[in-house]
Amino acid sequence: MRIGSEAHKVLFCRQFIDSYSEFDPAALPWPELDPAALYRSRTVPFWQEVRHTERRAGAIVAAFTGTISDPLVREAVKLQAHEEARHARLLAVMIERYGIDAPELPLEPLNPDLETGFIDFGFGECLDSFLGFGAFKFARQSGFLPDAMFDIFDLLMFEEARHIVFFINWMAWRERQHGRGALLRSANALRYYTRAIGRLVGTVRRGQKENGGRDFSATQASMFLDGFSFRTFVEECYRENAQRMAAFDPALLQPRFMPRLADAALAGLRLWSRMRPGLTRSTPPREGTPP
């Protein structure tokens, strides 16, 4: 299938629209938390930032929808705006239900160039999702919260995977409409990924400054860190990303920047281990991890 063709557009739009799931965040089977789990949920320092990010995502995507002339693409992007806003509502329901201190923050003004704003958001979501898949796996394995809570948040993980596959294919289709070949598309993607990394670093620094680690104690953090190392985290991100991407039509493009970066990082770590024979070698990667 030729990237940028009408058939390509129909495939990535229909796949996105047809895989939509209807649910009401307030009607989901939210579990009752015991005192220890309730305390842990309230000490997580990033709920406010995540809630704000999802609200902002909904506003960005909704604003961009009004600029799209192609009716099928507009239908798909409008649906994504709905899902982003629903993510924010889901977080609001959780925050209220469990008495978490994460008040709603005012939204910043949107980029007046709505298409560029949407593209920046899309590449940022590709970056965040790859890391989020691994973090989600670590958090679930730690037993930090009941499985029923992770079942609910798995709905968001599935939708994030749908979003980034749709976005990567939309971006390639858009670039072809502008007459850009594979080389120019790759260079443009690298530019946007670099911007996304810069924004992520800024978000982390802002979170450290505003929270300072005051509420999330070392005891709570240690639940995530059992068996944690940089290599195991990268391996889990790679493996979880591959598993979630396997659900999509192989004819569709998938985000490749972060998996390739993970390949390079793991190769560097293996080389470092061979150069330092006295160090304890990490456990060999399990099935699904790059050799």
Side-chain angles (χ1 to χ4, degrees):
M1 184 178 60
R2 184 169 60 84
I3 300 302
S5 66
E6 182 69 13
H8 177 223
K9 181 194 75 174
V10 170
L11 179 61
F12 72 76
C13 288
R14 290 305 335 164
Q15 181 277 328
F16 185 79
I17 294 167
D18 294 345
S19 59
Y20 170 75
S21 297
E22 181 61 51
F23 65 86
D24 176 5
L28 292 173
W30 295 97
E32 294 298 325
L33 300 184
D34 61 40
L38 187 62
Y39 171 75
R40 288 196 295 270
S41 70
R42 291 172 175 172
T43 62
V44 173
F46 50 72
W47 291 132
Q48 186 178 50
E49 183 68 34
V50 174
R51 179 185 189 180
H52 179 71
T53 298
E54 294 295 350
R55 286 182 62 235
R56 186 170 180 274
I60 290 170
V61 181
F64 177 58
T65 301
T67 71
I68 301 171
S69 58
D70 186 287
L72 183 58
V73 175
R74 184 170 61 247
E75 180 184 359
V77 176
K78 183 178 180 180
L79 182 60
Q80 183 182 349
H82 165 73
E83 291 182 359
E84 299 288 3
R86 188 170 61 180
H87 291 181
R89 291 199 304 275
L90 186 149
L91 289 162
V93 167
M94 182 201 69
I95 287 166
E96 182 177 357
R97 180 180 179 89
Y98 299 118
I100 297 170
D101 182 19
E104 190 171 277
L105 299 173
L107 292 177
E108 308 92 335
L110 299 181
N111 185 339
D113 183 344
L114 297 177
E115 185 178 59
T116 297
F118 178 73
I119 294 171
D120 272 329
F121 163 71
F123 279 102
E125 196 167 37
C126 291
L127 183 71
D128 295 343
S129 294
F130 183 85
L131 300 174
F133 294 154
F136 181 82
K137 180 69 173 292
F138 266 99
R140 186 161 201 165
Q141 288 178 333
S142 75
F144 187 78
L145 293 172
D147 263 355
M149 285 285 283
F150 287 104
D151 287 342
I152 289 175
F153 279 98
D154 199 50
L155 296 172
L156 272 63
M157 293 291 103
F158 172 65
E159 290 189 347
E160 295 293 349
R162 288 171 59 251
H163 293 175
I164 61 176
V165 171
F166 171 78
F167 171 75
I168 286 296
N169 283 273
W170 170 84
M171 186 66 184
W173 174 80
R174 170 196 178 271
E175 296 283 78
R176 287 298 298 162
Q177 304 310 301
H178 288 79
R180 298 184 182 117
L183 186 60
L184 282 176
R185 294 203 308 268
S186 297
N188 215 17
L190 180 60
R191 178 169 66 92
Y192 280 108
Y193 272 123
T194 301
R195 287 157 59 127
I197 291 170
R199 290 193 301 273
L200 178 61
V201 171
T203 299
V204 171
R205 288 176 176 170
R206 184 172 68 251
Q208 290 174 335
K209 180 179 179 181
E210 293 177 356
N211 185 72
R214 293 187 300 274
D215 300 323
F216 202 52
S217 67
T219 301
Q220 304 304 326
S222 67
M223 295 189 67
F224 292 100
L225 299 178
D226 183 25
F228 178 89
S229 70
F230 176 74
R231 177 169 178 168
T232 57
F233 177 68
V234 174
E235 289 172 353
E236 287 294 353
C237 289
Y238 189 99
R239 186 161 36 250
E240 286 298 301
N241 180 77
Q243 180 179 330
R244 292 183 183 276
M245 292 299 105
F248 297 93
D249 190 321
L252 292 172
L253 298 174
Q254 296 179 6
R256 297 296 185 193
F257 176 77
M258 290 301 291
R260 287 170 178 166
L261 195 61
D263 278 338
L266 291 170
L269 289 171
R270 288 190 293 271
L271 178 61
W272 177 255
S273 295
R274 288 195 293 269
M275 293 173 64
R276 300 290 298 273
L279 296 178
T280 301
R281 298 180 64 86
S282 301
T283 302
R286 290 168 289 190
E287 184 179 352
T289 305

